[in-house]
Amino acid sequence: MHNVTIWSEEFGAETDAPILLIMGSMSQGILWPDELVGRLTAGGRRVIRYDHRDTGMSGTVDFAAEPYTWDDIKNDVYRVLEAHGLDSAHLVGHSAGGLLGQLIAVEAPERVRSLTVVASSPLGGGEGQVLLRALTGQPQPEGSLPEPEPEFVEFFRALMTAPPAQDRRALIDSMIAEQRVLHGTGLPFDEDAARRLQERIYDRARDLSAAANHRLAAGAGPDFEPVGELHRVKAPTLVIEGSHEPVKPGHGAIIAEQIPGARLMIVEGMGHTLPLETHQELADAILTHTAE
């Protein structure tokens, strides 16, 4: 599946150091907030964000006819770089986007000027299985990654059995409820801002339901993540985790332990989203880390 169209946009001068923002599973590129992108651009960076296949304005796929794996989603990162005329860039990945960044840093170190991993799990750590066991009530084997917070598990268990939303407003309400849980409990939740964001996500999607293909892609290629490879990462690495991370609590420290020379940064109050209160701190850290 190399012919699917990928939507992307860039900000800043072409002569500035490039940052490629990689969002997580089932997520549009605009979840990298405009305000954060603006701070990075003002700091002298050429910033690129994009929609994964089957999200936002990128092309959608008939998965039954043309199945793909997360290896294909990872290869889309290379395609975006090439489309913008770049041999390499500073990679900044959120959640599963951070996982993609880790894998690219292992398999193609020459493409990664630096790596920033936000709200992510360690490559090869089995985060997907940890989440599945948590949602289905199975015990976690000894040595597994820390499991999600109970509020997250309870919400998604209920979501799995809830009837689908019947109209735009009901679906957006459901999306806001999910964002609230991902936001965590460390900072006030701005429901008006959340509604504006989810309405934008809804309205710009070619097919909002197509994002579920990312789950199918995980099942189609269960051996996507190599195990025990993070010691091979050569790129300078910054690992960022929120103090109130509800999905992957404590995973950042494990990444930082496994990547030589990696630095761990805890953002007070942040959960699994990128709220306005964190933008200055995040931008300052990323600009310092990507200084060339």
Side-chain angles (χ1 to χ4, degrees):
M1 274 304 302
H2 296 293
N3 58 346
V4 63
T5 302
I6 301 296
W7 174 90
S8 68
E9 62 179 350
E10 69 170 76
F11 308 83
E14 286 193 10
T15 53
D16 287 341
I19 291 177
L20 178 60
L21 302 174
I22 310 171
M23 195 27 80
S25 175
M26 303 174 64
S27 298
Q28 298 182 19
I30 64 165
L31 282 169
W32 292 106
D34 295 343
E35 298 85 352
L36 176 58
V37 171
R39 289 181 185 275
L40 295 175
T41 304
R45 301 293 182 271
R46 175 187 179 189
V47 182
I48 300 164
R49 64 181 176 183
Y50 72 100
D51 291 338
H52 291 297
R53 61 174 66 198
D54 276 328
T55 74
M57 296 174 68
S58 287
T60 57
V61 175
D62 180 347
F63 196 90
E66 298 182 279
Y68 60 85
T69 69
W70 267 84
D71 200 54
D72 295 303
I73 298 175
K74 178 261 298 176
N75 289 336
D76 289 338
V77 176
Y78 298 125
R79 296 174 58 211
V80 173
L81 286 174
E82 290 158 6
H84 288 265
L86 293 168
D87 293 325
S88 64
H90 298 281
L91 301 187
V92 180
H94 183 274
S95 196
L99 202 67
L100 295 175
Q102 293 171 64
L103 180 53
I104 292 168
V106 167
E107 74 174 19
E110 73 282 359
R111 310 298 293 272
V112 185
R113 302 189 192 188
S114 74
L115 176 64
T116 303
V117 179
V118 186
S120 191
S121 296
L123 183 70
E127 185 267 338
Q129 290 303 311
V130 170
L131 178 58
L132 180 62
R133 287 192 292 264
L135 291 175
T136 55
Q138 301 176 57
Q140 303 286 356
E142 187 176 349
S144 295
L145 293 171
E147 63 181 25
E149 296 294 342
E151 296 83 1
F152 173 88
V153 173
E154 181 181 334
F155 176 84
F156 277 90
R157 279 179 179 167
L159 192 64
M160 288 162 57
T161 57
Q166 296 301 310
D167 55 36
R168 179 180 185 274
R169 182 171 183 86
L171 183 53
I172 289 173
D173 285 346
S174 175
M175 292 159 66
I176 293 169
E178 179 177 340
Q179 185 179 339
R180 185 189 297 274
V181 171
L182 295 176
H183 178 85
T185 59
L187 292 169
F189 182 69
D190 187 337
E191 184 157 347
D192 290 338
R195 184 168 298 279
R196 289 193 297 272
L197 174 62
Q198 298 304 337
E199 286 175 345
R200 186 179 175 195
I201 287 171
Y202 182 99
D203 291 338
R204 69 189 295 277
R206 289 176 185 251
D207 178 0
L208 205 60
S209 67
N213 286 342
H214 285 196
R215 292 198 189 106
L216 300 177
D223 298 325
F224 163 71
E225 296 183 48
V227 177
E229 295 293 312
L230 282 182
H231 68 280
R232 294 175 50 196
V233 174
K234 299 291 193 294
T237 301
L238 172 64
V239 182
I240 300 175
E241 181 174 313
S243 63
H244 289 68
E245 168 64 57
V247 189
K248 308 166 192 243
H251 293 201
I254 298 170
I255 300 172
E257 287 170 5
Q258 294 184 22
I259 296 179
R263 184 168 68 89
L264 175 65
M265 171 182 167
I266 302 297
V267 177
E268 185 59 39
M270 189 173 82
H272 197 69
T273 61
L274 304 171
L276 183 63
E277 297 94 328
T278 68
H279 293 175
Q280 185 67 62
E281 186 174 358
L282 291 172
D284 288 348
I286 293 169
L287 288 170
T288 299
H289 186 61
T290 58
E292 294 185 328

